[in-house]
Amino acid sequence: MHIPDGYLSPSTCAVLGAVMAPVWYRASYKLKYTLDAARVPLLAMGAVFSFLIMLFNVPIPDGTTAHAVGASLLAIVLGPWAAVIALSVALFIQALVFGDGGILAFGANTFNMAFIAPFAGYYTYALLGKGAKPGAKRQLTAAFAAGYISINIAALAAALEFGCQPLLFTAADGTPLYCPYGFSVTIPAMMLAHLTVAGLVEGFITLIALKCIIHAEIPLGLEKTDKEEIQDV
Amino acid sequence: MNRPLPEWLQENVTINLPAPKQCVRRFDYLEKTLQGIYKILAQDAHGNSTAGKRALLQQIEPHAKLIAALILLLAAAWTKKIEFLAAVNLLLLGLAAQAGLGVKSFMTRVWLPAFFFSGLAVLPGIISWVTPGESLYTIYSGVHLQLGWLTFPVVLDITKQGVQSALLVILRSASSLGLATLVLKTTRWSVITKVLAKFGLPAAVVAVLDLTYRYIYLFLLLFLEYIMGRRSRLAGREAQGEKLSWIGGTIADFLRITREYGEDIHYAMQSRGFTGEYHGQMKLKIGLCDIGFLIAAAIICCFA
């Protein structure tokens, strides 16, 4: 899911970075008012938590392993805006320090994994699990669906970003300048892997981790709800 | 007193053990996670040792180094010339050797993922089915193949356009990774974040970056202990459900621990007067050597 540099044109990266700018602004604005401004350690720990989730090798039945992104889990346990910041910071450090994902492609990677994935996961969970009792089957099913849907929507976004490259950026002699595959290749290639394996891994990890979090009675959400804000005022 | 060996020790019994199977070893999820952690810790130790060396890149002022890296990165992303990208990659290899990073280490970290993983990803793109164009080599011709709904082309070539496109992607990927590696291995993280603050990154973001980077390593050590503890208690095969429930439980534990740490650090920082301001500003000390370095980078970019 981490897009390296070279696959997307600088203009695609710039557009997606520009799309992310208001998202980061909104996330920091939201957190400034719902979270104490000086509470940066909590956000840093959120980023550390996100980094650790991505480090896990999750076993899959054929004997190999896969990685989870943990975007929907983070959105459920920290809140979607805190998840945007935590995932963006984790992706920045991964790109710069560990070479996972490109530096110019940072905007694209954050758009897919730190914006689309946590919001898709959060709203799926909110919609399906609304009013469910903590630990109830419906809540856990909603968590699974959140993980499954979020990673697949993010994969589809990445496939569309890859697929538009040969349509938009080709030399006069027909040489594709960036990713050479069109939509007919990128969409099936990305979606097949995510619909059958990565989505299930993400869904199960979200479900099991949330079940353990509920069992351990760890409070959910870094962000305060509007009701709590009013009470504070 | 010399005692003779007992009879059972004098017996010369040959036990026919089964011959070791020649197979590729598959690591389980715990071993793979352990390897991931070791790799990160080893990279950090290597980075710390190289950042302190007295070589050209380590001597360059960090602001100048970051600007030069950024313009080279942009030039590599925009160029359509394979020769330019190849030259940039060779230059980066030379700089890595001069900076004391080690040619082998640099190639393993940069060229292996770029050439192998990106190479595999773009390999199907060299054929005429994906990228039509001027034929370089004909794989087959005049063959009518059909697998269900999938109809293969009658002629399948490796095209010039396909090879060029694959080389562009691979070399761009390698140059980006190489630049990031060179900057990171020759500059301390705390210096990089100070430069980013100077370039206008908001103070809170810089503080979050600094804290995250610092605590990632602390939590990696803790994670290492978790995995070692799990492995030491494992005997026999582990069911898939048990594996997943251990991962879920560990994630929940880490959520609790990171929250507790976050609260503790927050109160510790608050008690020391932290208000969200970042006071790590760095003075700009650009010398002649740094200006020369920037000019050299700009001249290289002119060939893009």
Side-chain angles (χ1 to χ4, degrees):
Chain A
M1 186 69 88
H2 292 68
I3 304 172
D5 278 339
Y7 287 82
L8 301 181
S9 72
S11 37
T12 312
C13 296
V15 167
L16 292 169
V19 171
M20 279 309 288
V23 176
W24 286 319
Y25 178 78
R26 177 75 181 151
S28 55
Y29 175 85
K30 187 94 179 156
L31 292 176
K32 199 174 171 184
Y33 287 95
T34 57
L35 196 71
D36 188 343
R39 293 191 121 184
V40 285
L42 287 175
L43 289 179
M45 289 302 117
V48 170
F49 179 59
S50 144
F51 184 86
L52 291 173
I53 294 176
M54 291 193 219
L55 201 67
F56 265 107
N57 277 278
V58 183
I60 50 176
D62 76 333
T64 55
T65 56
H67 284 275
V69 175
S72 46
L73 179 65
L74 276 163
I76 295 166
V77 300
L78 303 181
W81 293 107
V84 167
I85 301 284
L87 282 158
S88 300
V89 171
L91 288 171
F92 182 80
I93 291 178
Q94 280 186 336
L96 203 62
V97 183
F98 306 114
D100 290 336
I103 295 166
L104 290 180
F106 176 67
N109 282 324
T110 47
F111 178 76
N112 301 336
M113 286 186 278
F115 174 51
I116 289 187
F119 273 92
Y122 182 78
Y123 285 111
T124 305
Y125 175 77
L127 188 75
L128 300 178
K130 196 179 177 184
K133 283 180 186 170
K137 265 187 184 172
R138 190 155 65 85
Q139 191 191 30
L140 298 177
T141 311
F144 175 83
Y148 186 81
I149 290 171
S150 73
I151 203 74
N152 275 297
I153 292 182
L156 181 64
L160 294 175
E161 288 152 19
F162 284 134
C164 72
Q165 299 305 306
L167 293 177
L168 300 172
F169 308 99
T170 306
D173 67 346
T175 305
L177 295 173
Y178 300 95
C179 177
Y181 307 115
F183 293 122
S184 59
V185 176
T186 59
I187 295 175
M190 288 290 284
M191 296 320 293
L192 190 71
H194 285 83
L195 285 167
T196 53
V197 181
L200 294 175
V201 168
E202 192 75 26
F204 276 117
I205 284 299
T206 312
L207 183 158
I208 292 163
L210 190 69
K211 192 178 170 186
C212 294
I213 288 164
I214 291 167
H215 183 72
E217 294 179 351
I218 301 166
L220 300 181
L222 264 186
E223 301 162 25
K224 292 176 188 175
T225 59
D226 292 343
K227 209 175 177 181
E228 282 171 326
E229 274 172 60
I230 293 162
Q231 280 173 354
D232 284 354
V233 172
Chain B
M1 197 172 105
N2 287 334
R3 274 187 174 177
L5 281 171
E7 270 182 30
W8 63 272
L9 263 178
Q10 292 179 43
E11 281 175 17
N12 193 9
V13 182
T14 312
I15 300 166
N16 290 322
L17 291 170
K21 282 180 185 171
Q22 295 292 324
C23 63
V24 179
R25 194 182 165 197
R26 286 181 119 177
F27 295 106
D28 72 346
Y29 72 109
L30 289 174
E31 276 186 73
K32 278 188 181 172
T33 312
L34 265 180
Q35 282 175 355
I37 298 171
Y38 284 139
K39 194 178 150 197
I40 293 171
L41 294 175
Q43 275 179 14
D44 180 55
H46 184 244
N48 283 337
S49 66
T50 52
K53 286 185 180 173
R54 294 186 67 80
L56 174 72
L57 280 178
Q58 284 86 335
Q59 301 293 311
I60 300 291
E61 210 281 334
H63 294 83
K65 201 191 307 181
L66 251 73
I67 292 171
L70 191 66
I71 57 172
L72 273 172
L73 190 67
L74 288 171
W78 252 295
T79 190
K80 296 170 189 173
K81 294 178 187 166
I82 292 169
E83 310 81 35
F84 175 78
L85 287 168
V88 166
N89 276 295
L90 286 175
L91 177 74
L92 294 179
L93 183 67
L95 282 172
Q98 204 278 332
L101 265 67
V103 173
K104 197 181 163 190
S105 156
F106 183 81
M107 286 170 92
T108 312
R109 187 183 151 111
V110 177
W111 286 14
L112 185 72
F115 284 80
F116 186 71
F117 297 115
S118 289
L120 273 181
V122 294
L123 191 65
I126 66 172
I127 56 172
S128 55
W129 202 12
V130 179
T131 314
E134 199 181 312
S135 173
L136 285 179
Y137 177 78
T138 304
I139 300 170
Y140 69 79
S141 66
V143 179
H144 296 271
L145 271 174
Q146 189 158 7
L147 284 175
W149 53 270
L150 193 65
T151 311
F152 288 89
V154 179
V155 181
L156 194 68
D157 294 315
I158 291 175
T159 63
K160 187 183 162 192
Q161 282 79 356
V163 172
Q164 279 176 343
S165 172
L167 283 172
L168 280 172
V169 170
I170 294 168
L171 291 171
R172 271 201 202 104
S173 175
S175 56
S176 163
L177 198 53
L179 280 164
T181 305
L182 276 186
V183 169
L184 198 89
K185 298 275 180 187
T186 58
T187 324
R188 292 192 192 281
W189 177 259
S190 56
V191 176
I192 293 175
T193 50
K194 282 187 180 100
V195 174
L196 292 175
K198 191 90 175 173
F199 288 161
L201 201 69
V205 178
V206 176
V208 170
L209 279 175
D210 267 344
L211 275 171
T212 307
Y213 185 80
R214 184 172 300 179
Y215 281 93
I216 274 176
Y217 290 98
L218 181 83
F219 276 90
L220 280 179
L221 293 174
L222 195 62
F223 196 11
L224 201 68
E225 286 174 12
Y226 256 71
I227 296 173
M228 295 300 252
R230 175 73 177 167
R231 283 192 63 183
S232 66
R233 284 192 292 273
L234 272 178
R237 294 190 71 174
E238 210 183 352
Q240 183 73 5
E242 284 173 9
K243 291 176 187 175
L244 289 175
S245 63
W246 180 78
I247 291 174
T250 309
I251 290 175
D253 274 354
F254 273 101
L255 177 69
R256 183 181 50 79
I257 300 168
T258 46
R259 273 178 175 241
E260 284 170 7
Y261 261 81
E263 289 285 336
D264 289 349
I265 299 163
H266 162 62
Y267 290 126
M269 285 168 79
Q270 212 174 34
S271 66
R272 286 164 179 80
F274 180 74
T275 54
E277 296 282 316
Y278 185 74
H279 298 290
Q281 291 295 332
M282 199 180 158
K283 283 183 182 171
L284 197 68
K285 287 179 191 167
I286 297 252
L288 266 178
C289 182
D290 308 314
I291 294 170
F293 186 76
L294 277 173
I295 291 171
I299 291 170
I300 292 168
C301 291
C302 293
F303 293 101

